[in-house]
Amino acid sequence: MARHPLIGQPAPPISLPGADGETYTLTPGAKGVPIALFFYPKSGSFGCTKEACQFRDALAEKDLFKRTKIDIVGISSDPVDKQKEFVEKQKLTYPVLSDAKGEARKAYHVGKGLLGLAETARVTFLIDSKGVVRDVLDTTLNYNAHVKFVTKWLDKLEAEEKKAAETPAPAGGAPADSAAPAPTTTAAPEGPTLGELGKAAEAVEA
């Protein structure tokens, strides 16, 4: 499968009606937290219900999801009333948006699934805290793979942040440590040596 064109690129901001009818604006990177943006074929269908509930349970039960403060956002082409019914029935705790006009699908290059049988393919975007799309999982049939995909990436992002947090200390300290002795080792011998040579020369001349 070809590499998705958004990988490594800033994730497009989107504004769509949510299950409550209110406009929900997603601006990746604005809150400084990672985002799992998942497109799915149809609210209420078997696979989509399983996937949506797996994300709901991960937010409630997985420490990794809590620690990283990840935002989960679901999108399908279903109308607002269908999304409202879906959210209430499954007790979903994150925004589920209605992309009835296909605006978000177009922005994120999401096509149809199941050889065109599904209006929307099952595609999950992992967006980092800076708003950059790090990876994309496109598999309509394997609904179980999407939470695992996000979990794997959250582990990786957490490791990256930990490494970045540790790096400045040695990097900031090393130059200071190495710079401090430098003048001592380099300049100190030169000063006394020249002075001593001068005195020795005066003594010889005298």
Side-chain angles (χ1 to χ4, degrees), residues 73-88:
V73 180
I75 299 179
S76 76
S77 59
D78 295 288
V80 170
D81 58 345
K82 187 71 178 291
Q83 303 298 46
K84 184 175 188 294
E85 179 187 341
F86 185 47
V87 166
E88 291 177 350

Side-chain angles (χ1 to χ4, degrees), residues 38-108:
F38 73 99
F39 290 81
Y40 63 94
K42 191 174 181 60
S43 291
S45 64
F46 178 80
C48 297
T49 299
K50 288 287 186 183
E51 180 187 17
C53 290
Q54 286 173 1
F55 275 118
R56 176 201 65 197
D57 295 344
L59 279 173
E61 300 167 6
K62 289 182 180 287
D63 288 337
L64 180 61
F65 278 62
K66 294 176 183 177
R67 283 198 311 270
T68 56
K69 298 178 181 178
I70 186 170
D71 277 345
I72 306 289
V73 180
I75 299 179
S76 76
S77 59
D78 295 288
V80 170
D81 58 345
K82 187 71 178 291
Q83 303 298 46
K84 184 175 188 294
E85 179 187 341
F86 185 47
V87 166
E88 291 177 350
K89 185 175 182 180
Q90 304 304 331
K91 296 180 173 58
L92 302 181
T93 55
Y94 52 82
V96 174
L97 312 181
S98 170
D99 187 30
K101 297 179 181 178
E103 297 167 11
R105 278 169 285 159
K106 183 178 180 181
Y108 278 83

